[in-house]
């Protein structure tokens, strides 16, 4: 039975990846942070077979302890302070976790591997936010990185550190440059989930309006369930590498609102959405749109769920969840 260790187990991707690996017959271990972590119960409910280890990306010895017990064949580093807007206010902690945390994870793998440095396969969750002020459209693995937030800068550090461990030690280390990927499990601070939750609440008469930031921003949004399959495929290759995962399509926040409101029968949402500078960012990334040709050709990967289907899935899930709550 192959064994995997996942950091960021409580997040959207951690849960989808755990489900995927368990279905493939893996023994799955997860590193969970903090005393009384409020998400522990969620993980135990959704994926009860995952073995949890207390640990923190900023604490190398805790990672080494988890490695010693799990003795994994594959390590997926999904843990991060992952919200771009928050990273401006908490640049230092973002740097420690999202940046230096990658070095700790790589060190834990290197030290646990002993002499056989290719024994454990490593996945780093890199991000399209590394492209920031984009130098090329669409963006691919070779596009010059120009991050535009403390989060993006920290991810660039982790990306190059992963490449360096591959080149310096011959480790099987891969970096997945994932464009935005969403699902009903997405955190409510991200724009897609904020919209799906708000639209669901408005449709049920529980909320009057939605307060948003920049409606002209555009993103390349895919479904998280499709993207974790790409992560796994990267680690099944004979050698580590860097891969963009994206849909190649871009949509604006306005289009997101169009599709979400239409799903609950509202065609004109102009009176229901306000804009507030509180949700604007000090700097925006430009036109983020990915070219996933390499993943398609080498990994045979492609996204299955399209933009409309994704948004409708999220709105439906939030409507059902709120209805459930009202019925109780
Ligand atoms: P990101 O790509 O990781 O920053 O993902 P987000 O979902 O947080 O943001 C995507 C885009 O939506 C950004 O360009 C934001 O400026 C824009 N946006 C507009 N209104 C909002 C809002 O109310 N909340 C969030 N999170 N983003 C918003």
């Amino acid at each position: 039975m192959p064994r995997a260790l996942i950091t960021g187990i409580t997040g959207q991707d951690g849960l989808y990846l755990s489900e995927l690996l368990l279905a493939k017959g893996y023994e799955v271990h997860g590193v969970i942070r903090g005393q009384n972590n409020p998400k522990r119960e969620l993980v135990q409910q959704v994926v009860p077979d995952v073995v949890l280890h207390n640990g923190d990306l900023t604490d190398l010895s805790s990672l080494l302890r988890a490695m010693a017990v799990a003795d994994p064949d594959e390590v997926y580093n999904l843990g991060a302070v992952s919200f771009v807007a928050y990273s401006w206010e908490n640049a230092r902690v973002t740097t420690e976790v999202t940046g230096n945390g990658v070095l700790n994870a790589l060190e834990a793998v290197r030290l646990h591997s002993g002499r056989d440095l290719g024994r454990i396969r490593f996945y780093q969750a890199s991000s399209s936010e590394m492209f920031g002020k984009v130098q090329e459209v669409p963006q691919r693995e070779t596009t010059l990185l120009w991050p535009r937030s403390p989060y993006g800068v920290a991810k660039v550090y982790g990306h190059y550190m992963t490449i360096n461990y591959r080149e310096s030690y011959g480790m099987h280390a891969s970096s997945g440059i994932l464009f935005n990927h969403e699902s009903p499990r997405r955190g409510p601070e991200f724009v897609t989930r904020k919209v799906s939750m708000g639209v669901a609440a408005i449709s049920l008469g529980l909320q009057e309006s939605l307060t948003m930031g920049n409606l002209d921003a555009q993103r390349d949004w895919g479904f998280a369930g499709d993207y974790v399959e790409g992560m796994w495929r990267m680690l099944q290759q004979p050698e580590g590498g860097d891969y963009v995962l994206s849909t190649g399509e871009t949509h604006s926040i306005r289009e997101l609102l169009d599709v979400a409101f239409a799903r609950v029968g509202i065609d004109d949402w102009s009176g229901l959405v306000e804009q507030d500078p509180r949700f604007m960012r000090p700097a925006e990334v430009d036109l983020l749109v990915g070219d996933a040709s390499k993943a398609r050709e080498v990994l045979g990967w492609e996204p299955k769920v399209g933009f409309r289907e994704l948004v409708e899935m999220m709105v439906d899930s939030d409507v059902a969840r709120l209805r459930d709550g009202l019925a109780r």
Side-chain angles (χ1 to χ4, degrees):
M1 195 191 253
R3 290 182 299 276
L5 178 69
I6 302 173
T7 71
I9 192 83
T10 62
Q12 163 188 267
D13 292 6
L15 294 175
Y16 279 111
L17 181 63
S18 295
E19 286 174 337
L20 178 84
L21 297 178
L22 288 168
K24 289 185 184 295
Y26 277 69
E27 180 181 303
V28 180
H29 295 256
V31 177
I32 188 160
R33 183 174 53 95
Q35 185 181 355
N36 249 332
N37 187 325
K39 288 191 171 168
R40 182 183 288 267
E41 209 179 306
L42 173 75
V43 178
Q44 284 166 340
Q45 242 171 33
V46 178
V47 279
D49 292 334
V50 170
V51 183
L52 292 176
H53 304 268
N54 292 314
D56 194 305
L57 278 171
T58 61
D59 181 345
L60 175 59
S61 68
S62 75
L63 299 179
L64 283 168
R65 233 179 305 116
M67 292 289 290
V69 180
D71 192 24
D73 305 292
E74 297 174 5
V75 172
Y76 294 86
N77 185 39
L78 312 185
V81 172
S82 64
F83 187 43
V84 172
Y86 176 89
S87 83
W88 292 104
E89 293 157 13
N90 296 270
R92 183 80 216 180
V93 75
T94 303
T95 303
E96 282 307 320
V97 179
T98 307
N100 287 327
V102 184
L103 177 58
N104 283 340
L106 284 162
E107 272 297 276
V109 170
R110 185 180 72 84
L111 293 168
H112 184 76
S113 298
R115 289 201 179 159
D116 184 4
L117 283 172
R119 175 164 80 88
I120 302 173
R121 299 181 170 202
F122 180 83
Y123 174 85
Q124 167 57 18
S126 286
S127 162
S128 56
E129 289 289 325
M130 301 191 306
F131 295 123
K133 189 168 184 293
V134 304
Q135 301 297 299
E136 185 178 24
V137 179
Q139 295 88 47
R140 56 188 131 210
E141 294 78 7
T142 51
T143 303
L144 181 69
L145 304 176
W146 201 299
R148 296 268 276 173
S149 65
Y151 169 80
V153 173
K155 281 287 181 187
V156 169
Y157 172 87
H159 178 67
Y160 281 120
M161 207 44 106
T162 303
I163 294 171
N164 270 271
Y165 269 62
R166 181 167 76 222
E167 293 178 351
S168 308
Y169 298 118
M171 272 170 53
H172 193 296
S174 290
S175 177
I177 308 172
L178 271 52
F179 281 64
N180 295 49
H181 43 291
E182 319 291 313
S183 75
R185 291 175 179 160
R186 188 61 145 150
E189 65 275 32
F190 292 92
V191 74
T192 51
R193 187 73 199 290
K194 177 174 172 177
V195 166
S196 70
M197 287 172 73
V199 166
I202 289 171
S203 77
L204 296 172
L206 300 171
Q207 189 175 315
E208 284 187 356
S209 63
L210 197 50
T211 309
M212 304 287 305
N214 177 10
L215 301 186
D216 297 315
Q218 297 181 36
R219 287 291 186 280
D220 177 333
W221 280 297
F223 172 52
D226 290 341
Y227 285 47
V228 298
E229 166 82 26
M231 298 175 186
W232 176 76
R233 288 189 184 209
M234 287 175 212
L235 298 206
Q236 310 318 306
Q237 297 307 303
E239 283 172 8
D242 308 321
Y243 298 90
V244 163
L245 298 186
S246 66
T247 69
E249 258 182 47
T250 178
H251 299 273
S252 66
I253 310 295
R254 284 180 207 284
E255 287 175 79
L256 168 65
L257 290 163
D258 282 342
V259 176
F261 274 108
R263 186 63 172 174
V264 298
I266 299 172
D267 290 328
D268 178 11
W269 47 263
S270 52
L272 298 170
V273 174
E274 290 156 16
Q275 272 182 287
D276 189 321
R278 261 192 310 139
F279 295 107
M280 309 275 185
R281 305 205 169 158
E284 272 283 5
V285 301
D286 296 326
L287 183 56
L288 277 184
V289 54
D291 174 357
S293 319
K294 182 180 172 191
R296 206 166 41 243
E297 281 153 27
V298 181
L299 308 176
W301 177 85
E302 55 182 32
K304 298 194 180 80
V305 178
F307 174 68
R308 175 173 297 274
E309 200 184 335
L310 170 66
V311 177
E312 292 180 347
M313 176 206 303
M314 293 178 70
V315 172
D316 290 354
S317 157
D318 279 318
V319 168
R321 193 178 48 81
L322 288 179
R323 276 221 179 98
D324 243 30
L326 288 176
R328 283 215 189 110

Coordinates of all heavy atoms in Angstrom, one line a residue, residues 221-255:
W221 N -10.6 30.2 -13.7 CA -11.2 29.4 -12.6 C -11.5 27.9 -13.0 O -12.3 27.7 -13.9 CB -12.5 30.0 -12.1 CG -12.4 31.1 -11.2 CD1 -11.8 31.2 -9.9 CD2 -12.9 32.5 -11.4 NE1 -12.0 32.4 -9.4 CE2 -12.6 33.2 -10.3 CE3 -13.6 33.0 -12.4 CZ2 -13.0 34.6 -10.1 CZ3 -14.0 34.4 -12.3 CH2 -13.7 35.1 -11.2
G222 N -10.9 27.0 -12.3 CA -11.2 25.6 -12.6 C -11.8 24.9 -11.3 O -11.9 25.6 -10.3
F223 N -12.1 23.6 -11.4 CA -12.6 22.9 -10.3 C -11.5 22.1 -9.5 O -10.8 21.4 -10.1 CB -13.7 21.9 -10.8 CG -14.2 20.9 -9.8 CD1 -14.7 21.3 -8.6 CD2 -14.2 19.5 -10.1 CE1 -15.2 20.4 -7.6 CE2 -14.7 18.6 -9.1 CZ -15.2 19.1 -7.9
A224 N -11.5 22.3 -8.2 CA -10.4 21.8 -7.4 C -10.3 20.2 -7.5 O -9.2 19.7 -7.5 CB -10.6 22.1 -5.9
G225 N -11.5 19.6 -7.7 CA -11.5 18.1 -7.8 C -10.6 17.7 -9.0 O -10.0 16.6 -9.0
D226 N -10.7 18.4 -10.1 CA -9.9 18.1 -11.3 C -8.4 18.4 -11.1 O -7.6 17.6 -11.6 CB -10.3 19.0 -12.5 CG -11.7 18.6 -13.0 OD1 -12.2 17.5 -12.7 OD2 -12.3 19.5 -13.7
Y227 N -8.1 19.4 -10.3 CA -6.7 19.8 -10.1 C -5.9 18.9 -9.2 O -4.7 18.7 -9.5 CB -6.7 21.3 -9.6 CG -7.0 22.3 -10.7 CD1 -8.1 22.1 -11.5 CD2 -6.2 23.4 -11.0 CE1 -8.5 23.0 -12.6 CE2 -6.6 24.3 -12.0 CZ -7.7 24.1 -12.8 OH -8.0 24.9 -13.8
V228 N -6.6 18.3 -8.2 CA -5.8 17.4 -7.4 C -5.4 16.1 -8.2 O -4.3 15.5 -7.9 CB -6.6 17.0 -6.1 CG1 -6.8 18.2 -5.2 CG2 -7.9 16.2 -6.3
E229 N -6.2 15.8 -9.2 CA -5.8 14.6 -10.0 C -4.5 15.0 -10.8 O -3.6 14.1 -10.9 CB -6.9 14.4 -11.0 CG -6.6 13.5 -12.2 CD -6.7 12.0 -11.9 OE1 -7.4 11.6 -11.0 OE2 -6.0 11.3 -12.6
G230 N -4.3 16.2 -11.2 CA -3.1 16.7 -11.8 C -1.9 16.6 -10.9 O -0.8 16.2 -11.3
M231 N -2.1 16.9 -9.6 CA -1.0 16.9 -8.6 C -0.5 15.4 -8.6 O 0.7 15.2 -8.6 CB -1.5 17.2 -7.2 CG -2.0 18.6 -7.0 SD -2.7 18.8 -5.3 CE -3.4 20.4 -5.5
W232 N -1.4 14.5 -8.4 CA -1.1 13.1 -8.3 C -0.3 12.6 -9.5 O 0.7 11.9 -9.5 CB -2.3 12.2 -8.1 CG -2.0 10.8 -8.0 CD1 -1.5 10.1 -7.0 CD2 -2.2 9.8 -9.1 NE1 -1.3 8.7 -7.3 CE2 -1.8 8.6 -8.6 CE3 -2.8 9.9 -10.4 CZ2 -1.8 7.4 -9.4 CZ3 -2.8 8.7 -11.2 CH2 -2.4 7.5 -10.7
R233 N -0.8 13.0 -10.7 CA -0.2 12.6 -12.0 C 1.3 13.1 -12.0 O 2.1 12.4 -12.6 CB -1.0 13.1 -13.2 CG -2.2 12.3 -13.3 CD -2.9 12.6 -14.7 NE -4.2 11.9 -14.7 CZ -4.8 11.5 -15.8 NH1 -4.3 11.8 -17.0 NH2 -5.9 10.9 -15.8
M234 N 1.5 14.3 -11.5 CA 2.9 14.8 -11.5 C 3.9 13.9 -10.8 O 5.0 13.7 -11.2 CB 3.0 16.2 -10.9 CG 2.4 17.3 -11.7 SD 2.4 18.9 -10.8 CE 0.9 19.6 -11.5
L235 N 3.4 13.3 -9.7 CA 4.3 12.5 -8.9 C 4.4 11.0 -9.4 O 5.2 10.3 -9.0 CB 3.8 12.4 -7.4 CG 3.8 13.8 -6.7 CD1 4.0 13.5 -5.2 CD2 4.9 14.7 -7.1
Q236 N 3.6 10.7 -10.5 CA 3.7 9.4 -11.1 C 4.7 9.4 -12.2 O 5.0 8.4 -12.9 CB 2.4 8.8 -11.5 CG 1.3 8.9 -10.5 CD 1.7 8.5 -9.1 OE1 2.2 7.4 -8.9 NE2 1.5 9.4 -8.1
Q237 N 5.3 10.6 -12.6 CA 6.2 10.7 -13.7 C 7.6 10.1 -13.3 O 7.9 10.1 -12.1 CB 6.4 12.1 -14.1 CG 5.1 12.8 -14.6 CD 4.5 12.0 -15.7 OE1 5.1 11.7 -16.7 NE2 3.2 11.6 -15.5
P238 N 8.4 9.7 -14.2 CA 9.7 9.2 -13.9 C 10.6 10.2 -13.2 O 11.4 9.9 -12.4 CB 10.3 8.7 -15.2 CG 9.3 9.1 -16.3 CD 8.1 9.5 -15.7
E239 N 10.4 11.5 -13.5 CA 11.2 12.6 -12.9 C 10.3 13.7 -12.5 O 9.2 13.9 -13.1 CB 12.2 13.1 -14.0 CG 13.3 12.2 -14.1 CD 14.3 12.6 -15.2 OE1 14.1 13.7 -15.8 OE2 15.1 11.8 -15.5
G240 N 10.8 14.5 -11.5 CA 10.0 15.7 -11.1 C 10.0 16.8 -12.2 O 10.9 16.8 -13.1
G241 N 9.1 17.7 -12.1 CA 9.1 18.8 -13.1 C 8.1 19.9 -12.7 O 7.5 19.8 -11.6
D242 N 8.0 20.9 -13.5 CA 7.0 22.0 -13.2 C 5.9 22.0 -14.2 O 6.2 21.8 -15.4 CB 7.7 23.4 -13.3 CG 9.0 23.4 -12.5 OD1 9.0 22.9 -11.4 OD2 10.0 24.0 -13.0
Y243 N 4.7 22.1 -13.7 CA 3.5 22.0 -14.6 C 2.5 23.1 -14.3 O 2.1 23.2 -13.1 CB 2.8 20.7 -14.5 CG 3.7 19.5 -14.9 CD1 4.5 18.9 -13.9 CD2 3.7 19.0 -16.2 CE1 5.3 17.8 -14.2 CE2 4.5 17.9 -16.5 CZ 5.3 17.3 -15.5 OH 6.1 16.2 -15.9
V244 N 2.0 23.8 -15.3 CA 0.8 24.7 -15.1 C -0.4 23.8 -15.2 O -0.6 23.0 -16.1 CB 0.8 25.8 -16.3 CG1 -0.5 26.4 -16.4 CG2 1.9 26.8 -16.0
L245 N -1.3 24.1 -14.3 CA -2.7 23.5 -14.4 C -3.7 24.7 -14.5 O -3.7 25.5 -13.6 CB -3.1 22.6 -13.2 CG -2.2 21.3 -13.0 CD1 -2.9 20.5 -11.8 CD2 -2.1 20.5 -14.2
S246 N -4.5 24.7 -15.6 CA -5.4 25.8 -15.8 C -6.5 25.4 -16.8 O -6.3 24.3 -17.4 CB -4.6 27.0 -16.3 OG -4.2 26.7 -17.6
T247 N -7.5 26.2 -16.9 CA -8.5 25.9 -17.9 C -8.2 26.6 -19.3 O -8.7 26.2 -20.3 CB -9.9 26.4 -17.5 OG1 -9.9 27.8 -17.5 CG2 -10.2 25.9 -16.1
G248 N -7.4 27.7 -19.2 CA -7.1 28.5 -20.4 C -8.2 29.4 -20.8 O -8.2 30.1 -21.8
E249 N -9.2 29.5 -19.9 CA -10.4 30.4 -20.1 C -10.4 31.5 -19.0 O -10.1 31.1 -17.9 CB -11.7 29.7 -19.9 CG -12.4 29.3 -21.1 CD -13.7 28.6 -20.8 OE1 -14.4 29.1 -19.9 OE2 -13.9 27.5 -21.3
T250 N -10.7 32.7 -19.3 CA -10.8 33.7 -18.2 C -12.2 34.3 -18.2 O -12.8 34.5 -19.2 CB -9.7 34.7 -18.4 OG1 -9.8 35.7 -17.4 CG2 -9.7 35.4 -19.8
H251 N -12.6 34.6 -16.9 CA -13.9 35.2 -16.7 C -13.8 36.3 -15.7 O -12.9 36.3 -14.8 CB -14.9 34.2 -16.2 CG -15.1 33.1 -17.2 ND1 -16.1 33.2 -18.2 CD2 -14.5 31.9 -17.4 CE1 -16.0 32.0 -19.0 NE2 -15.1 31.3 -18.4
S252 N -14.7 37.3 -15.8 CA -14.6 38.5 -14.8 C -15.5 38.2 -13.6 O -16.4 37.3 -13.7 CB -15.0 39.8 -15.5 OG -16.4 39.6 -15.9
I253 N -15.3 39.0 -12.6 CA -16.2 38.9 -11.4 C -17.7 39.2 -11.9 O -18.6 38.6 -11.4 CB -15.8 39.9 -10.3 CG1 -14.3 39.8 -10.0 CG2 -16.6 39.7 -9.1 CD1 -13.8 38.5 -9.5
R254 N -17.8 40.1 -12.8 CA -19.2 40.4 -13.3 C -19.8 39.1 -13.9 O -21.0 38.8 -13.7 CB -19.2 41.4 -14.4 CG -19.0 42.8 -13.9 CD -19.0 43.9 -15.0 NE -18.2 45.0 -14.6 CZ -18.7 45.9 -13.7 NH1 -19.9 45.9 -13.3 NH2 -17.9 46.9 -13.3
E255 N -19.0 38.4 -14.7 CA -19.6 37.1 -15.3 C -19.9 36.1 -14.2 O -20.9 35.4 -14.3 CB -18.6 36.5 -16.3 CG -18.4 37.2 -17.6 CD -17.3 36.6 -18.4 OE1 -17.6 35.6 -19.0 OE2 -16.2 37.2 -18.4

